[in-house]
Structure formats: structure tokens, C-alpha cells
Amino acid sequence: MPLVAHTELPTFRRLQEEGEEILTPDRAAHQSIRELHIGLLNIMPDAALEATERQFFRLVGACNQIAQFHVHPFTIDGLERGPEALAHIAKYYESFEQIKRDGLDALIISGANVTHDHLQEEDFWRPLTEVFEWAKENVTSVLCSCLATHALIQHCYGIERTRLPAKRWGVYSHKVVDRNHPLVSEINTRFDVPHSRFNEVFRSDMEKQGLKVLVASDQAGVHLAVSPDGFRIVFFQGHPEYDDISLLKEYKREVLRYYRAERDDYPPYPEHYFDEAAQRMLADYASHVQAARHGGRQLKAMPEEQIVERLDITWRDSAKAVFNNWLGKVYQITNEDRRLPFMDGVDPRNPLGL
């Protein structure tokens, strides 16, 4: 069932323009369908703030469960914000205090950019862990993306992520390693997932703490895992929410950083992402960028339109399937009062009865 545009958030209009079905509050009120209230803790930097909204809203809205999805974006202190992002947040986001008063059936926590070697040194660490602690007691299931996965694993299990020798960056093939778990029911046994990170929590460390690994890659490591109870916390190390152009945008930012002498080396391509024709175009462009940097000349625009035509999205269907399974299980076990995590008779230590 569709998303409900319960606020004036521009993301609803953008998704509707893309062809997504969005209900008005009046239309939703005249349907005898249960509501599910999903929180989105968006801690991405300003440049990706609204894109992250659209990516996660789109995945929630694609689910086929018989429910109306009310998505509640909010953020936390400790994140550097510019005036435009602050205005957007003030106008469209809820406060964490309001979230706590009203309650949630499920919570999504986005990734974030960091500036310190250790997560506990970040200004947002304490506010983030406060959200974790509240959600563990009051929300049916929490889904974490990338940085949020690393932070919650460190906070809950004492595992600090490991710095990789080079950035894990690209689109990688993954295999389902536990075919019996409901989150991967009716999903392809092998599928792609984008990754973009400098750090990793390794499978062996997860399994020592009782986490259950569901999907992993020989190249990229664990993508999907769950807490020892099987459902209360869902961990993504990859980015199944990414659009087809997300890695291209990241690559472009790194190219511009090279041109501005903010990095010494020219950025490598994201792995398994650009085809041979796109790589040829980008190699020609790299020669121009390098000459422009060393000659102090103005930079020409990257040939993005021609490159976008050659990009494939090979992860969207599997991402929708996992989200569909996740929210379907939330629907089956959450309390009708969204301030309470479970219906009567559900064991929080094994909510799915696995």
C-alpha cells in the first residue's frame, strides 16, 4: 500500500512525480486499512539529506503489505548543518521528543559522514546512542544503514569497526547464506548491493557476539545481519537504498576534490559500476581534469548525461523484497498502539518464533 503524505515534505511530491502512489490524509482517512508509523533518523550531510529521504521513502512505499505507511523523519544534535538544511529540518522534520511521545512501529537509521577516527568521539555519538536506547525498549524493529550499523554494533556489542586498506566502493555480488530467515524469503539467492565505506565490521566478529549473518559477499563482506533475537535490529553494511546515480555523484565529488587539490591522487572508479564505454569517457575526462589542475585552467563539466545512460541498477528489486519482508513482519507482531513494541504474546527475545 502507498505512503501517506501526512506533511508538506517535498519528498512526497518528488516521489509522486516519479510515478509513486501517494495518498492524501483525507483519502487515507476514508480507507479501512491499518497504519504503520516508520521513523527515519536522517543523519546524512546536507548534500544528501533530501536524496536519502527519497531513497528510504521509496523503499517503504514499494512494500505490498496491507497498511498505510506514515514515515516520520527526524534528526539529532551534533551534526554540522547549513542554513538551507536547518530550514528544511525545522519545517518538515519532527523532534525526537515528539517521536518518543507518539511512538513508532519501526525505525530506519541512515548512514552519516564522520570526522574522527573513533565513532565515540563524534559530536553526534551521545544523541545517537540515546535514540538507540529508546528504540531498543519501544520500537518493534530498528533497521540500520552503514555508519548506523557500525555505531550500534559498537554501542551494543563492543565491536569497534576496522579501517580498511582502501575504500570499499562499488557494486558487489552477494549470496544469501541463511535461506530460512524470513527477511530473505522469496528473494534471489545471489544479488548485487552497492557499498561505499572506509571501515568494516567483519563476519567473524559479528558471529562471536551472536549476530546472525544473512547475506554476505566474498569481496565486500557482510551486507545483511540481524541481532541475536533474529529481528529487533537489522544491520546493513551496504546501501541497498542507493539510486543508480548515487555512486556517480560520489565519484564526481572526489574528482572535484582532486581538481581543487584536496586529494593528491586521482580517484579510482567504483568497482563493477561503470561499463567499458563509460570508463573510456571518464578516462578522457580524467586527462582534461589533470591538465586543468596543473595548468590552472577552468574545468569543463563531466559528461554525466552520457554516462547515466550506461548505468544499470541491479539491486533495486532485492532491496524492495527485503524491505517488504521486514515491514511485513513488523505488521504481524507490532502492537496496534504504536507506543508499545509488541502485541500480546510476542516474546521480545525471539519475536519471530525462529
Side-chain angles (χ1 to χ4, degrees), residues 116-130:
H116 295 80
D117 292 335
H118 302 284
L119 293 179
Q120 65 271 25
E121 297 171 353
E122 299 291 336
D123 290 340
F124 62 76
W125 175 257
R126 183 177 293 277
L128 183 58
T129 57
E130 289 174 359

Side-chain angles (χ1 to χ4, degrees), residues 314-328:
T314 58
W315 56 89
R316 179 63 55 77
D317 288 349
S318 58
K320 287 180 178 179
V322 172
F323 265 71
N324 191 57
N325 290 338
W326 176 57
L327 289 175

